[in-house]
Amino acid sequence: MSLLNETHNPALRSWVASANADGSDFPIQNLPFGVFRRYGSAEAFRVGVAIGDQILDLSAAHAHNLFTNGAKQATLACCAPNLNAFMALGSQAWAALRLALSRALREGYTLQSALSTCLVPQVDAEFAVPAQIGDYTDFYTSVHHATNVGKLFRPDNPLMPNYKWLPIGYHGRSSSIGISGQAFHRPVSQTMAPGATEPTLTASKRMDYELELGVYMGTANALGEPVALDEAEDHVFGLCLFNDWSARDIQGWEYQPLGPFLSKNFASTVSPWIVTLEALSPYRQPWTRPSDDPQPLPYLDSATLRSSGAIDIELEVFIQSAAMREQGLPEHRLSRSNFRHAYWTVSQMVAHHTVNGCNLQPGDLLGSGTQSGPTLEEAGALIELSVGASRSLALPSGESRTFLEDGDTVTFRGACEKPGAARIGFGEVSGTLLPARALV
């Protein structure tokens, strides 16, 4: 697990003035990675680092020969249309480049004039999914979400017997993962209406979002070689915001016996920036398991996990309907939660995923599953907030929602913040539901 070092010093200030502004998601203590080009241009997508309201173009910085040693090798790997080659270099290279960037972006840097030519305003950029995602696994790490949803279907026994023993997951679809701003059509598939004797092919009537974090893998493990729990985070490049859109009525009909399929594979949306685990070090917290719950098997437990396995990341969900946009109304917050409530941690997800010898690759994505807190106001999905559509949520426009309507835009934001540490933000991820296409 990452240790604190000079890059976390909250007193550091950047010569990029916007990075020093109160409330900035991207101060010099953060330095997340993404892939961008100038909006509307024919330029190649390339790797950049967010600093304030700017992007540092790493290909341009490499061309200026501004870095040396390990950082120089790392910037060479970043001269690519995605982050996979850099991810594959491992945690020492990631840390070396982050340290070099921190020093180069601090006030007083002697080569500031040269590096300043490598900046691109974020408002002038468009983004791509930052890595080529070979495989995607979605987990189910919030016991509160699992319990809330389970109660809707199994009131007397909401959790399946294996939930508290292992991190539940399923293999998802990577090809339909898009970048923030993704707009997609309401999915069509079979559903079984209550009381019906046979299913029909129809557009989903119960569209939902899922408030998740995405976990990007870095260095690979060889096929057949498990990753030990205390080594797991050395293989993790960083985290992003992630919306794993869900069609609940399609899911309810198809998920037995093999789990989600068409209810999940039509769209998932990631935020542009990947925040490194190193940047999140000041926000580590002890991870605990209730004493009356089963304690993890030895391969999923350690003293390091117990002392610092949880991460304090505040998460928020906002909605803006088409009518709200037409009326000039701002987005409306639906809920707020925190990743520290997760029942299973990042390292436990990786350790369990590989305990059978499964080989994870650079750029592979793990979804955390919906992150809900212990109260209803902290629910990370509409199926929970509306208690299975039994209660409506009022919007400022006079509309109400139990599930999403066509034209709704959903936005997630996330940040870490506490006294004595720099704010570490994730930016945002947004997506818009379009009407269904004509039925086939």
Side-chain angles (χ1 to χ4, degrees):
M1 299 201 179
S2 301
L3 301 175
L4 293 177
N5 56 50
E6 67 177 78
T7 66
H8 303 106
N9 183 352
L12 293 179
R13 292 178 60 84
S14 175
W15 52 263
V16 180
S18 59
N20 306 319
D22 290 341
S24 172
D25 271 358
F26 307 121
I28 194 170
Q29 295 85 356
N30 191 348
L31 304 177
F33 291 83
V35 167
F36 79 102
R37 68 182 178 188
R38 287 178 175 82
Y39 184 82
S41 74
E43 297 173 347
F45 280 102
R46 54 199 184 274
V47 175
V49 169
I51 178 71
D53 61 5
Q54 303 290 307
I55 303 168
L56 180 64
D57 183 338
L58 290 184
S59 293
H62 181 74
H64 280 282
N65 200 29
L66 296 175
F67 302 111
T68 60
N69 302 324
K72 183 175 183 178
Q73 179 190 13
T75 55
L76 177 60
C78 289
C79 296
N82 57 51
L83 280 159
N84 293 67
F86 179 51
M87 290 170 160
L89 292 181
S91 57
Q92 290 187 344
W94 310 335
L97 180 54
R98 187 168 173 279
L99 176 60
L101 290 170
S102 174
R103 290 173 174 173
L105 290 165
R106 294 177 199 175
E107 289 181 336
Y109 179 56
T110 55
L111 300 178
Q112 173 183 332
S113 60
L115 198 58
S116 65
T117 65
C118 305
L119 295 177
V120 176
Q122 289 190 35
V123 294
D124 294 339
E126 60 182 322
F127 299 91
V129 176
Q132 182 176 345
I133 302 172
D135 275 299
Y136 155 52
T137 301
D138 196 31
F139 283 89
Y140 199 38
T141 67
S142 169
V143 70
H144 305 296
H145 174 68
T147 301
N148 291 339
V149 173
K151 284 179 179 177
L152 298 174
F153 301 101
R154 301 177 301 275
D156 297 329
N157 186 28
L159 287 181
M160 300 302 287
N162 60 357
Y163 185 85
K164 293 186 176 182
W165 288 103
L166 59 88
I168 302 295
Y170 71 93
H171 192 201
R173 182 75 184 175
S174 61
S175 64
S176 53
I177 296 175
I179 197 65
S180 182
Q182 184 178 28
F184 60 92
H185 293 277
R186 184 180 291 268
V188 170
S189 186
Q190 287 191 22
T191 62
M192 177 71 90
T197 58
E198 62 181 46
T200 58
L201 181 69
T202 185
S204 171
K205 298 177 179 63
R206 291 193 159 204
M207 275 299 302
D208 204 353
Y209 57 81
E210 292 197 345
L211 174 62
E212 302 195 25
L213 286 170
V215 180
Y216 282 97
M217 299 306 301
T219 46
N221 63 298
L223 181 64
E225 295 186 4
V227 176
L229 182 74
D230 284 348
E231 298 172 5
E233 290 192 356
D234 289 336
H235 292 260
V236 174
F237 180 71
L239 308 183
C240 71
L241 300 173
F242 183 51
N243 189 341
D244 189 28
W245 307 93
S246 296
R248 300 299 186 186
D249 44 359
I250 296 172
Q251 183 178 1
W253 173 235
E254 74 178 6
Y255 85 105
Q256 298 286 5
L258 295 181
F261 184 28
L262 270 64
S263 60
K264 298 275 193 175
N265 68 4
F266 55 90
S268 299
T269 315
V270 293
S271 56
W273 299 109
I274 306 176
V275 177
T276 63
L277 289 186
E278 186 177 36
L280 295 169
S281 291
Y283 293 92
R284 292 286 187 174
Q285 291 190 343
W287 176 86
T288 59
R289 178 61 55 84
S291 59
D292 55 348
D293 277 6
Q295 300 304 299
L297 296 181
Y299 80 100
L300 293 174
D301 204 354
S302 75
T304 302
L305 170 79
R306 298 277 180 166
S307 67
S308 57
I311 310 175
D312 181 10
I313 305 173
E314 192 80 8
L315 301 167
E316 296 180 291
V317 179
F318 300 84
I319 190 171
Q320 188 181 51
S321 69
M324 290 170 65
R325 287 193 292 275
E326 291 171 2
Q327 296 174 34
L329 295 173
E331 61 190 9
H332 172 68
R333 190 172 71 191
L334 291 174
S335 67
R336 174 185 287 173
S337 187
N338 196 295
F339 189 48
R340 67 172 179 266
H341 297 310
Y343 197 80
W344 298 102
T345 70
V346 171
S347 59
Q348 288 171 320
M349 285 188 272
V350 174
H352 182 67
H353 202 315
T354 63
V355 72
N356 68 341
C358 175
N359 55 325
L360 298 175
Q361 302 294 313
D364 282 358
L365 185 70
L366 312 181
S368 68
T370 304
Q371 293 304 299
S372 298
T375 67
L376 183 61
E377 293 73 23
E378 297 171 279
L382 280 175
I383 193 171
E384 297 173 79
L385 287 172
S386 70
V387 193
S390 67
R391 63 188 288 260
S392 295
L393 306 174
L395 301 184
S397 56
E399 302 169 278
S400 63
R401 290 290 183 273
T402 54
F403 288 99
L404 296 175
E405 299 292 341
D406 294 344
D408 286 349
T409 296
V410 177
T411 300
F412 300 163
R413 295 191 180 90
C416 307
E417 196 165 9
K418 68 178 181 180
R423 173 187 170 90
I424 302 296
F426 284 74
E428 67 178 38
V429 60
S430 66
T432 301
L433 178 63
L434 303 176
R437 296 185 186 274
L439 293 178
V440 295

